[in-house]
Amino acid sequence: MNWTTVLQLALRALWRNKTRAMLTTLGVVIGVGSVIAMLGIGSGAQQRIAAQLASMGTNSLVIRSGSVTRGGVRTGAGGITTLTRDDADAIAELPDVVAVAPSLRDTAQVRYRGTNWGTAIQGVTPDYTIVRSWPLAEGEFITRRHVLGASHVCVLGQTVARELFGLTSPLGESIVIKGMACQVIGVLTEKGATAWGSDQDDAIFAPITTVQRKIKGITHIERIELEASDREASFRLIKEIKRLLRQRHRLREGQPDDFRMYNRAELAETSEESARVFTWLLGSIASVSLLVGGIGIMNIMLVSVTERTHEIGIRMALGARQRDILWQFLLEALVLSTAGGVLGIFLGLGGALAVARFSALPVTVTPVSVLVAFLFAGLVGVFFGLHPARKASQLRPIEALRYE
Amino acid sequence: MNAAPLLQIRDLQKAYVLDGVTIQALRDIDLNVEPGEFVAIMGPSGSGKSTLMYILGCLDVPDAGNYQLHGQDITRMDGDQLATLRNREIGFVFQNFNLLPRTSALENVETPLIYAGIGKTERRKKARATLERMGLGERLYHLPNQLSGGQAQRVAIARALVTQPSLLLADEPTGNVDTATSAEIMTLLDELNRQEGLTIVLITHEQEVAKHARRRLFLRDGRLEMQA
Ligand SMILES: Nc1ncnc2c1ncn2[C@@H]1O[C@H](COP(=O)(O)OP(=O)(O)O)[C@@H](O)[C@H]1O
Ligand SMILES: [Mg+2]
């Protein structure tokens, strides 16, 4: 008996019970479909996180003025005034430091003619765009001269530019920040949301000195970001900067740090890892439904073997050998599962597209996940078809024939 | 006249054990059937006729004794060898027809040829020719439930003969049909035996049917008795 003949026998047997075959397949269709859709959603999330991390610059370190206990009162992060621009300059002297960007932040209601917009004001230095790897869309960025002179100039993020100016270019226009007129000298490119969902483009950038003296009226800073030459250097610099800052801030042994530091490389690794775990989690939940589909196949095949015991007996009387019966039933299971696999691929692709369309989530269905889901479906067919098929083939001819 | 019998049985025993009770279905059976013979086995219900036929047809194996078909000892064969033997040498006709359900007459007749490994075109051709010979050329695509009892039994006979077996085993082939159809089927078997030299072992409890056979044997409580 050759393959095409066995396949024909299997197909014909399934055709005789169309409704049942279709319902059995449905379990696998849903299983394969959800595996593909879930893996698509997972790897979409993974790619998005990877893109965001790349845009943040993964070799960078962030230092923030941190809480300290003074007479039992713990101030919140940023409540400390010890971090200064001199600290930033000292850090810039360390080896393997590519660029340093001290900054401080305020929020303000910004006005331009009739409109106004509440946003963040960031006081920064020229190196800020390097550390954040954030190019300009038009105009120029804040220069050393602007910083030295505490000039009334600013650079807008895309969101602010759009909210205040719509489609017209803001370059050369004057906006009012806390009663102070500021000339717009540049607009940054779109950066998108952070991994935590806040809009990075909703900000205005002004010379650090302007924000210190004319907006907040303080002399310290809140934050230093720096770019190390590579990942390894960023890990090493954490220790060196800690020592340097403690020394500069005259902290005694046993006194807690008055700053906090974190490493974006580390953050990147954690986020990538959690995205992978997320993908696996979704995938395994979906696999359970595929497994349930497989059990459905086994269930129906077992019923089918019992129902067709007499038929099996007739076939044996006509000369069917054990392996002929085995292959017929195994192929029936395999046809059910692979047909379910093919339909499930379409369902999965459709589901993934629908999710991508109706939610903001990016969805990427990879050929590998399609192949894996399909092979898994085939495997399910063999695994769950084997037991009923063996049961059928091992019937004794005479008992099968007598069975009513 | 013939040197080698088609089948030769010596001292064959078969018992069933049901709920701890042993039923001796066949005892001390000795039987020779020569090629071209037409033998009827008669006996009351429960006398062991079907049991004997299943063993003759290699669907079941005896507990003890010797059974040779074409000089081959079937008690030494494994399941696959017996399957091949059934496929090549034996044609079955059952009382309840035993056609594959929801399967056309043509496909039913093709089935033994599938297990013989014969290709599709050849299979179709042979199955069609055999059905036509049984006068069923118009019923090729009918399903079993669309056939009368006589037609269904003729499909079963076509299916038994399509592989050109050396032995036709018929277990009460007329048990489920009316008298007219019964006569028709017996005429067909007569012809096959006379014109083509087909060896037939027929099981029946009807005198009328047994009369067609050239030799009649009688089973009683699992023992075989000769009859004139
Ligand atoms: N599978 C079986 N299990 C137990 N007893 C059986 C089985 N088949 C037949 N028998 C018993 O064996 C005896 C012979 O049965 P069978 O060969 O069917 O007789 P017949 O065909 O002449 O009516 C009967 O007593 C029957 O009850
Ligand atoms: Mg009987």
Side-chain angles (χ1 to χ4, degrees), chain A residues 1 5 8-9 12 16 310-311 314-324 396-398 401-402, chain B residues 16 54 59-60 80 83 86-87 92 94 98-100 102-103 107 111-112 114-115 120 123 159:
Chain A
M1 227 168 56
T5 318
Q8 273 169 26
L9 282 182
R12 230 168 274 168
R16 271 174 223 134
H310 186 65
E311 176 196 323
I314 298 171
R315 291 185 180 279
M316 287 174 161
L318 298 178
R321 291 158 303 182
Q322 281 202 356
R323 59 173 172 274
D324 297 329
R396 291 190 43 216
I398 188 65
L401 197 58
R402 279 218 200 91
Chain B
Y16 295 109
Y54 291 138
L59 282 166
D60 207 354
D80 280 0
R86 288 195 293 271
N87 185 248
F92 290 99
F94 300 95
N98 276 349
L99 295 180
L100 293 171
R102 281 178 281 184
T103 305
E107 283 178 275
T111 306
I114 289 177
Y115 298 120
K120 183 162 185 161
R123 230 156 58 203
R159 189 179 65 181

Side-chain angles (χ1 to χ4, degrees), chain A residues 144-172:
Chain A
R144 278 170 59 95
R145 288 242 316 276
H146 293 140
V147 174
L148 285 173
S151 313
H152 293 199
V153 293
C154 63
V155 174
L156 306 184
Q158 285 283 337
T159 305
V160 178
R162 193 171 51 244
E163 292 298 336
L164 290 180
F165 294 92
L167 293 174
T168 57
S169 171
L171 286 191

Side-chain angles (χ1 to χ4, degrees), chain A residues 402, chain B residues 16-18 23 25 43-52 171-172:
Chain A
R402 279 218 200 91
Chain B
Y16 295 109
V17 180
L18 193 65
I23 300 158
S45 183
S47 57
K49 304 186 294 296
S50 293
T51 304
L52 180 58
D171 190 355
E172 314 224 18

Side-chain angles (χ1 to χ4, degrees), chain A residues 39 42 46 274-287:
Chain A
L39 289 181
Q46 227 168 314
S274 52
R276 253 195 308 279
V277 170
F278 176 66
T279 307
W280 270 104
L281 194 70
L282 287 179
S284 18
I285 292 170
S287 310

